[in-house]
Amino acid sequence: MMNSIETVFTRPNVLFLLDGLWTTLLISLCVVILSIVFGTLLGLIRNYEKKFFGKIAGFYIELFRNTPLLLWMLGCAFLIPGSTILVKASIALFLYTAAVVAEIVRGGLNSIPKGQFEAAHSQGFSFFQTLVYIILPQTFKKIIPSLLSQVITTIKDTSFLAGLGIMEFTRSGQVILGKVTKTSEVFLIYGFLAVVYFIICFALSVLVRNWHEKNSENV
C-alpha cells in the first residue's frame, strides 16, 4: 500500500490535482455569483410580471429545470461559436443553475406577506424601492439555506465538465488514473477525489445547518 501511495501522490501528481481543484472552485464561485444575480432577476420577473416577460422567464426556468445539465453543456460546447470549451461549458452550467436559483428566489418572494407592499406604499415607497429595501432583504434571509445547498450542488455539478475534457478536479484524477496499473492505485485516486469533494461539501452542509439552527433560535 505504501508503494501505491508513493506512486500516486508524487509531487507533480499532487500539484496537478490541486490545479484541477482550483479550477473547480473558481468555476463554481463564478457560476454561483452570476447565477444568484441572474436568477434573482428571473425570479422577480416571473413573480411580478405576469405578461410577456413573465411568460418568457417561466419558459426559461421550466426548460432548464426539466432537462439534463449535461445536454446543455454538450449543446453549448458544440453550438456556441468561438471561445474555449471551458467558457462555453461554464456558460451552460451558469444558465442551468440560474434557473434553479430563480425558483428558490421565487419561493422566498412568495413567503413574504403581501401586506408589506401596501404598508410600504403607504409610506411613500415605490414598487422598486419596496423590492430593494424591504422584500429582497427578507427573501434572502429566508432562502440562504437553500442557496447554500445549491452551491454544494453546483460544486458537484462541475464534475460533468470532465466529460468534455476540461481539466477540473475529476478530470485531473482521470488523467492520473490513466498512468496507474494496480487496483490499489485506482482505489486511492477515486478515494482521494471522493474525500476532497466530501470535505468541501460537508463543510458547507454544516454551515447551512448551523445557520438554519441559529436563525430558528432567533425567530
Side-chain angles (χ1 to χ4, degrees), residues 32 35-36 39-40 96-106 147 150:
V32 165
S35 295
I36 289 176
T40 299
Y96 183 90
T97 305
V100 179
V101 171
E103 280 301 277
I104 294 174
V105 170
R106 195 167 75 96
L147 285 179
Q150 183 56 39

Side-chain angles (χ1 to χ4, degrees), residues 112-181:
I112 306 299
K114 304 296 183 182
Q116 296 208 21
F117 279 98
E118 298 175 2
H121 181 70
S122 68
Q123 297 299 315
F125 283 81
S126 67
F127 180 78
F128 179 77
Q129 290 174 323
T130 303
L131 285 178
V132 172
Y133 297 114
I134 299 176
I135 303 300
L136 283 177
Q138 295 180 75
T139 297
F140 276 99
K141 184 177 181 180
K142 289 177 178 289
I143 65 174
I144 282 178
S146 297
L147 285 179
L148 288 177
S149 295
Q150 183 56 39
V151 171
I152 295 171
T153 300
T154 301
I155 292 173
K156 293 186 290 185
D157 283 347
T158 58
S159 61
F160 285 113
L161 297 171
L164 297 174
I166 295 171
M167 286 299 170
E168 46 71 65
F169 190 47
T170 299
R171 179 59 181 167
S172 298
Q174 290 176 337
V175 171
I176 295 175
L177 193 64
K179 303 176 182 179
V180 303
T181 56

Side-chain angles (χ1 to χ4, degrees), residues 7 28 43 54 58 133 169 209 219:
T7 300
S28 300
Y133 297 114
F169 190 47
R209 192 179 308 119
V219 174

